[in-house]
Amino acid sequence: MQEASHRPVSTSKTVIVLGADGYIGWPMAMHLSRLGHRVVAVDNLARRQWDEEGGTESLVPIATMEQRVDRWLACTGRTITYERLDLCDHDALDACVARWRPEAVVHFAEQRSAPFSMIDREHAVRTQVNNIVGNLNLLFALQAHVPECHLVKLGSMGEYGAPNIDIEEGYITIEHNGRSDRLPYPKVPHSFYHLSKVADSQNIHFACRIWGLRATDLNQGVVYGCETDDTVLHPELITRLDYDSIWGTALNRFCAQAATGNPVTVYGKGGQTRGYLDIRDTMACITLTLDNPPEAGECRVFNQFTEQFTLNQLADLVAGARRHHGQDTTIVHLPNPRVEAEEHYYNAKHTRLLDLGLQPHFLGETLVDSLIEVVARHAHRVDPVLLERPSVDWRTGGNEVWRQYADEGRRGALARATVELVGAATRRPPAHPGGNGLAGGRSVPEPAARPAEPAAE
Amino acid sequence: MQEASHRPVSTSKTVIVLGADGYIGWPMAMHLSRLGHRVVAVDNLARRQWDEEGGTESLVPIATMEQRVDRWLACTGRTITYERLDLCDHDALDACVARWRPEAVVHFAEQRSAPFSMIDREHAVRTQVNNIVGNLNLLFALQAHVPECHLVKLGSMGEYGAPNIDIEEGYITIEHNGRSDRLPYPKVPHSFYHLSKVADSQNIHFACRIWGLRATDLNQGVVYGCETDDTVLHPELITRLDYDSIWGTALNRFCAQAATGNPVTVYGKGGQTRGYLDIRDTMACITLTLDNPPEAGECRVFNQFTEQFTLNQLADLVAGARRHHGQDTTIVHLPNPRVEAEEHYYNAKHTRLLDLGLQPHFLGETLVDSLIEVVARHAHRVDPVLLERPSVDWRTGGNEVWRQYADEGRRGALARATVELVGAATRRPPAHPGGNGLAGGRSVPEPAARPAEPAAE
């Protein structure tokens, strides 16, 4: 790695990574550990529970947090301390912050799916309460114990919506009736989830103003890819990959559809434009952010993405990559389950991280090929129903697909809980269960989860 | 009454008033009932509970909701249906909306004190969860049962903060890099409470966009006065009046200080400028809003105030009113417990309600005199400690005054709960307890609560 953001740091910091069991959180914890920081990895494992509830699962099997940190130590000699706690449990969070006194906190620990937040009232409320209360608790814990700490908060480009003017990075100078002010950029978010992020941004901005906290709000685009320098070291170090309509991104779905010979499904006209970035660039962006903290009292906002694409461009990219392998791909347009503009102006600024030295990986057929390879390797775990059609509509909530899988999820969770209960009553479980221990969901876990050759097609 | 908004309506609507036990909610319920609407008055009585917890109370004793609706029927022959329920209890709210199928809902049912939300983490979280979840539950209940219903939501001018450009009514057209869009007006709110209102506004705007709900978000200024055509009919119909530093407004505090011969305390330099309106104009504004509903899918915003004042102007107005009665008033400046600009530009538009026909009552010495009279009448209930200094600081939360009164409040609540428990164990309470039954707090209830002559000074 050549980038400045990948050089081992001269000054080691104590960094708490909140949400360290997630798609980005786990690679981030390893990345910061590799750079020499003292990393505390915090998670309540809610993401795994939501999978169980909704009958979804990561396409690639993932290890437990205990297995991950053990394997990381074995592979690198570096320690990541894992603490299981819920940010909504203020006493636990407060004690954690007081004990570690971090120089920086990277906060991923939120419900992060727009469709999940649109299933029904309960999911909308759960999303907003979980995210807003967890974030508020964190602000108060920082104020109480480490007001100098740098809070790096993951926001979303989806907070802005799709305005008809250029999107600036967090603030905009408005000239109005002969006067001028620099104010927070107006937001028209896409979902109850994105609304929770807007509320977080407002609360963080306020805490910086009144308490002098320092924060960077990273309005991140859609992240793609699942491999970093660290995840490839061992199967137990890989991160999750989601393709279903609740947790997956459109690009992941397109790759899963192409890999399994299904039509690529674009929602609506496909002119929906968003910002995207490679997961390796997320690692670099957050490292650059940590290396360049804001002043006390400053609430800085970076738009964290590297390229803009329409859905149609992504679908064409996937189809093009397949064509180079002699495969034909059909692209179909489904009725859009979301309420959003399908043809619109979109020009979002993203120069502040480039100014700090970000050297982007751009999305090309090579990355798409590698994603399709990962899917092909795990093609037997792809559920064709979840791949075929969305399970949540913005107007009417979770549909019959959602209900069917949620019912199955509940039954599965109940069955697992019963087995555990019976097991616990008859024996004490070993500290580290035997076998490869990789989490399996509804599908049968693979016999071996190490990187394999792409399946023949 | 001459205004159009006070004429009995030709078309009677079913209107649910949420938060009908509050300072404005109760007069509003009566006002709409007087106009011929079928009024359902909903409250969970949280405001009374928060008084108990914090050791505060209304300067004027107020009747129970049961007494109020009984008295209203006796005085006017009109029925207001009272339902006790909590908006955070979705099942109860949903059933209420489904049963009444209202044409309009007026939503006051929120924790509405900025200092309360700044006491500590628990109060910040409680404020945001109470307000955001209650409002979300309402949106889902409306969508499920009465999507045509007009939601009239009380927002706050404090959502905007004090920007250096003119404040527009909810939206602003921004010209930027040669393009233009009309977007939500950027907000820099004053407190965790105001932040909850911003989150509400965003959620309502979203619900209108995706579900086609229709709403009016009323960004209300500071309301003064406590008498309407209806509250003066009988002592059991009066509404609450707060002067303490948690629930009272600056103007109420100034009047209480002047009435009791204490110095008027201005926080900071006193250049803080806000919008204000008479409680009778609140009645008219909401009536005009109900009479002129928005289109389906429209989220309309009105700035609901009639005049702007600085704190220094209010203090001078009070001192001037006293001077005309031969009384000298000292004005002192205390260190500002809030974090806010104390000298700033402030020009907020408020033409949309005027365009609908609002005829404002302006704040003058007559109104100040009447407020001072009310305080003087109840001067023995004024607590000099609560009057003298603020109990919450924006930087450090609730101070020793807050803690002392909260402790007393808890002890008082415990003592009352014990009495009730012992009483319940030995007898069944009568449906309507004897005596005048007006709620009393820490002070001894007055022997008679009917309007009396102003105390001699």
Side-chain angles (χ1 to χ4, degrees):
Chain A
M1 284 289 188
Q2 305 306 311
E3 293 109 287
S5 65
H6 285 76
R7 280 202 299 268
V9 289
S10 50
T11 313
S12 167
K13 292 177 179 169
T14 298
V15 183
I16 298 181
V17 177
L18 301 169
D21 188 43
Y23 164 55
I24 303 173
W26 172 240
M28 196 72 234
M30 289 191 287
H31 186 74
L32 294 175
S33 175
R34 169 197 287 270
L35 293 178
H37 295 299
R38 181 192 201 190
V39 175
V40 183
V42 166
D43 210 292
N44 67 346
L45 308 185
R47 180 65 188 81
R48 296 177 192 241
Q49 181 193 322
W50 295 328
D51 260 351
E52 288 209 7
E53 288 175 14
T56 49
E57 62 182 342
S58 170
L59 182 62
V60 293
I62 53 173
T64 65
M65 277 302 287
E66 290 82 357
Q67 291 169 324
R68 285 170 158 180
V69 298
D70 287 351
R71 180 58 59 193
W72 179 247
L73 178 64
C75 285
T76 67
R78 295 189 183 275
T79 298
I80 293 174
T81 305
Y82 165 54
E83 294 201 4
R84 181 171 179 175
L85 71 83
D86 187 337
L87 269 67
C88 289
D89 176 352
H90 177 71
D91 291 345
L93 177 64
D94 187 74
C96 175
V97 170
R99 189 166 59 252
W100 291 103
R101 304 191 63 78
E103 274 95 22
V105 171
V106 185
H107 177 16
F108 297 98
E110 302 211 318
Q111 193 299 98
R112 59 96 179 141
S113 158
F116 184 92
S117 75
M118 301 303 298
I119 289 168
D120 55 17
R121 183 201 66 83
E122 194 275 326
H123 286 80
V125 168
R126 203 199 312 183
T127 298
Q128 295 205 352
V129 169
N130 180 74
N131 294 1
I132 293 170
V133 172
N135 186 61
L136 272 178
N137 284 347
L138 177 59
L139 293 173
F140 275 90
L142 295 178
Q143 186 217 11
H145 303 295
V146 281
E148 294 296 310
C149 177
H150 179 194
L151 169 60
V152 179
K153 168 65 163 54
L154 271 291
S156 167
M157 287 301 294
E159 294 180 38
Y160 296 114
N164 194 41
I165 58 173
D166 294 343
I167 296 173
E168 300 295 329
E169 302 197 57
Y171 303 89
I172 182 170
T173 298
I174 302 178
E175 313 279 343
H176 185 53
N177 298 346
R179 302 182 62 88
S180 170
D181 202 359
R182 180 172 174 267
L183 293 168
Y185 195 96
K187 293 182 171 173
V188 186
H190 288 303
S191 70
F192 284 120
Y193 152 68
H194 290 103
L195 284 153
S196 76
K197 292 278 197 191
V198 173
D200 289 341
S201 297
Q202 290 269 9
N203 279 330
I204 293 169
H205 188 210
F206 180 67
C208 291
R209 296 202 303 279
I210 62 162
W211 296 333
L213 299 190
R214 66 183 82 215
T216 308
D217 200 355
L218 296 173
N219 285 333
Q220 186 168 248
V222 183
V223 182
Y224 56 77
C226 58
E227 293 187 349
T228 69
D229 288 350
D230 304 309
T231 65
V232 298
L233 291 179
H234 189 277
E236 285 185 343
L237 299 180
I238 62 174
T239 193
R240 56 181 310 125
L241 184 67
D242 301 290
Y243 68 95
D244 66 88
S245 70
I246 302 279
W247 302 102
T249 62
L251 180 60
N252 287 1
R253 180 176 76 248
F254 295 169
C255 290
Q257 288 166 329
T260 55
N262 285 292
V264 163
T265 54
V266 174
Y267 299 163
K269 293 179 183 168
Q272 300 95 310
T273 311
R274 303 286 184 267
Y276 292 81
L277 76 163
D278 189 299
I279 192 170
R280 293 168 294 178
D281 290 344
T282 290
M283 301 297 111
C285 286
I286 291 175
T287 306
L288 287 167
T289 301
L290 289 173
D291 289 347
N292 298 275
E295 298 297 312
E298 187 182 357
C299 179
R300 192 173 56 170
V301 183
F302 297 161
N303 291 345
Q304 179 166 307
F305 71 97
T306 60
E307 293 175 283
Q308 293 186 178
F309 296 102
T310 65
L311 285 181
N312 287 332
Q313 287 172 324
L314 292 183
D316 289 343
L317 188 64
V318 170
R322 299 311 284 161
R323 200 173 306 119
H324 285 165
H325 294 282
Q327 306 281 336
D328 277 338
T329 306
T330 310
I331 298 172
V332 299
H333 290 257
L334 298 186
N336 194 345
R338 305 188 176 207
V339 179
E340 60 186 356
E342 296 176 4
E343 290 171 318
H344 58 90
Y345 180 76
Y346 195 81
N347 184 34
K349 303 297 178 64
H350 55 108
T351 58
R352 297 195 65 181
L353 283 159
L354 296 170
D355 291 345
L356 291 180
L358 177 67
Q359 297 178 21
H361 298 79
F362 293 115
L363 178 60
E365 289 193 1
T366 310
L367 191 284
V368 169
D369 273 341
S370 83
L371 261 179
I372 291 175
E373 271 177 29
V374 172
V375 176
R377 216 180 295 154
H378 301 279
H380 60 288
R381 289 168 60 92
V382 172
D383 183 320
V385 177
L386 290 179
L387 197 62
E388 191 186 342
R389 51 174 294 215
S391 58
V392 182
D393 187 283
W394 259 229
R395 299 162 194 85
T396 52
N399 63 19
E400 61 282 8
V401 176
W402 158 255
R403 283 188 293 275
Q404 178 201 328
Y405 278 76
D407 283 347
E408 285 181 20
R410 271 191 293 275
R411 277 200 299 275
L414 187 65
R416 276 187 293 278
T418 307
V419 169
E420 282 170 23
L421 205 65
V422 172
T426 54
R427 60 172 165 72
R428 291 189 70 83
H432 292 278
N436 70 17
L438 294 172
R442 202 173 44 261
S443 309
V444 178
E446 298 179 304
R450 64 181 170 277
E453 292 305 300
E457 290 185 81
Chain B
M1 286 289 185
Q2 305 305 312
E3 294 108 287
S5 65
H6 285 78
R7 282 200 299 267
V9 289
S10 51
T11 314
S12 168
K13 291 177 179 169
T14 298
V15 184
I16 299 181
V17 177
L18 301 169
D21 188 42
Y23 164 56
I24 304 173
W26 172 240
M28 196 73 233
M30 289 191 287
H31 186 75
L32 295 174
S33 175
R34 169 197 286 268
L35 294 177
H37 296 299
R38 181 193 201 188
V39 175
V40 183
V42 166
D43 210 293
N44 67 347
L45 309 184
R47 181 65 189 80
R48 295 176 193 242
Q49 182 194 319
W50 296 328
D51 261 350
E52 289 209 6
E53 288 175 12
T56 50
E57 63 183 341
S58 170
L59 182 62
V60 293
I62 53 172
T64 65
M65 277 302 287
E66 289 83 356
Q67 291 169 324
R68 284 170 158 179
V69 298
D70 286 351
R71 180 58 59 193
W72 179 247
L73 179 64
C75 286
T76 67
R78 295 189 182 278
T79 298
I80 293 174
T81 305
Y82 165 55
E83 294 201 3
R84 180 171 179 173
L85 72 83
D86 187 337
L87 269 67
C88 289
D89 176 352
H90 177 70
D91 291 346
L93 178 64
D94 187 74
C96 176
V97 170
R99 190 166 58 251
W100 291 102
R101 304 191 62 78
E103 275 95 23
V105 171
V106 185
H107 176 17
F108 297 97
E110 302 210 319
Q111 193 300 95
R112 59 95 179 143
S113 159
F116 184 91
S117 74
M118 301 303 298
I119 291 168
D120 55 18
R121 183 201 66 86
E122 195 276 325
H123 286 80
V125 168
R126 203 199 312 184
T127 297
Q128 294 206 350
V129 169
N130 181 73
N131 294 0
I132 293 170
V133 172
N135 186 61
L136 271 179
N137 285 346
L138 178 60
L139 293 172
F140 275 90
L142 295 178
Q143 186 217 11
H145 303 295
V146 281
E148 294 295 310
C149 177
H150 178 193
L151 168 60
V152 179
K153 167 65 162 55
L154 271 289
S156 167
M157 286 301 294
E159 294 179 38
Y160 295 114
N164 195 41
I165 58 174
D166 294 344
I167 296 173
E168 300 296 328
E169 302 197 56
Y171 303 90
I172 182 169
T173 298
I174 302 178
E175 313 280 343
H176 185 54
N177 298 347
R179 303 182 61 88
S180 170
D181 201 357
R182 180 173 175 267
L183 293 168
Y185 194 95
K187 293 181 172 174
V188 185
H190 288 303
S191 70
F192 285 120
Y193 152 70
H194 290 103
L195 284 153
S196 77
K197 292 279 197 190
V198 172
D200 289 342
S201 297
Q202 289 271 10
N203 279 330
I204 293 169
H205 187 211
F206 180 68
C208 291
R209 296 202 303 279
I210 62 163
W211 296 334
L213 300 190
R214 68 183 80 213
T216 308
D217 200 355
L218 296 172
N219 285 333
Q220 186 167 247
V222 183
V223 182
Y224 56 78
C226 59
E227 293 187 348
T228 69
D229 289 351
D230 305 309
T231 64
V232 298
L233 290 178
H234 190 278
E236 285 185 344
L237 299 181
I238 62 174
T239 193
R240 58 179 309 126
L241 184 68
D242 300 291
Y243 68 95
D244 66 87
S245 71
I246 302 280
W247 302 101
T249 63
L251 180 60
N252 286 0
R253 180 176 76 248
F254 295 169
C255 290
Q257 289 167 328
T260 55
N262 286 291
V264 162
T265 55
V266 174
Y267 298 163
K269 293 180 183 167
Q272 299 95 311
T273 311
R274 304 286 185 267
Y276 291 81
L277 76 162
D278 189 299
I279 192 170
R280 293 167 295 177
D281 289 344
T282 289
M283 303 295 112
C285 287
I286 292 176
T287 306
L288 287 166
T289 300
L290 288 173
D291 289 348
N292 298 276
E295 299 297 312
E298 187 182 358
C299 180
R300 192 173 56 171
V301 183
F302 297 161
N303 291 346
Q304 180 167 307
F305 72 97
T306 60
E307 293 174 282
Q308 292 185 180
F309 296 102
T310 64
L311 285 181
N312 287 332
Q313 287 172 323
L314 292 183
D316 289 343
L317 189 65
V318 170
R322 299 311 284 158
R323 200 173 305 119
H324 285 164
H325 294 282
Q327 307 281 336
D328 277 339
T329 306
T330 310
I331 297 172
V332 299
H333 290 258
L334 298 186
N336 195 345
R338 304 188 178 207
V339 179
E340 60 185 356
E342 297 176 3
E343 290 171 317
H344 59 89
Y345 180 77
Y346 196 81
N347 184 33
K349 303 297 177 64
H350 54 108
T351 58
R352 298 195 64 180
L353 283 158
L354 296 170
D355 291 346
L356 291 180
L358 177 66
Q359 297 178 21
H361 298 79
F362 293 114
L363 178 59
E365 290 193 1
T366 310
L367 192 283
V368 169
D369 273 342
S370 84
L371 262 178
I372 291 175
E373 271 178 27
V374 171
V375 177
R377 217 182 291 154
H378 302 280
H380 61 289
R381 289 170 60 93
V382 172
D383 182 320
V385 176
L386 290 180
L387 197 60
E388 191 186 341
R389 52 175 292 214
S391 59
V392 181
D393 187 284
W394 259 229
R395 299 162 194 84
T396 52
N399 63 20
E400 62 281 10
V401 176
W402 159 256
R403 283 190 292 275
Q404 176 200 330
Y405 279 77
D407 283 347
E408 285 182 18
R410 272 192 292 275
R411 278 200 298 275
L414 186 65
R416 277 187 292 279
T418 307
V419 168
E420 282 170 22
L421 205 65
V422 171
T426 54
R427 59 171 166 72
R428 291 188 69 83
H432 292 277
N436 70 17
L438 293 173
R442 201 174 46 261
S443 310
V444 178
E446 298 179 304
R450 64 181 171 277
E453 293 304 300
E457 291 185 80

